[in-house]
Amino acid sequence: MDYSKSGNPKGARHNPRGPDHAQKGAPKSVTPPRETKEQLLARMKAAAAQKAEKS
């Protein structure tokens, strides 16, 4: 009896992936620009004024 033919078929282990997998030349992800110190201070002052206005 040929025991290699019994059971479930073996999965594709060493097959190469498709041509679209990890292509070279893909656009790099860009990090959003950081806000400047002036912008941060303005945002913090506006939030503090809004909080003082509520209470």
Side-chain angles (χ1 to χ4, degrees):
M1 183 171 187
D2 190 4
Y3 288 106
S4 66
K5 304 298 180 201
S6 64
N8 293 332
K10 293 182 180 175
R13 280 188 250 167
H14 300 292
N15 292 347
R17 296 182 185 207
D20 58 330
H21 177 74
Q23 285 185 341
K24 292 183 179 177
K28 302 285 184 188
S29 61
V30 179
T31 57
R34 294 181 62 174
E35 62 182 347
T36 63
K37 192 170 186 178
E38 292 81 22
Q39 291 171 336
L40 174 66
L41 287 172
R43 185 170 54 89
M44 289 173 66
K45 285 179 183 177
Q50 201 173 38
K51 188 176 179 184
E53 217 174 76
K54 280 187 178 179
S55 57

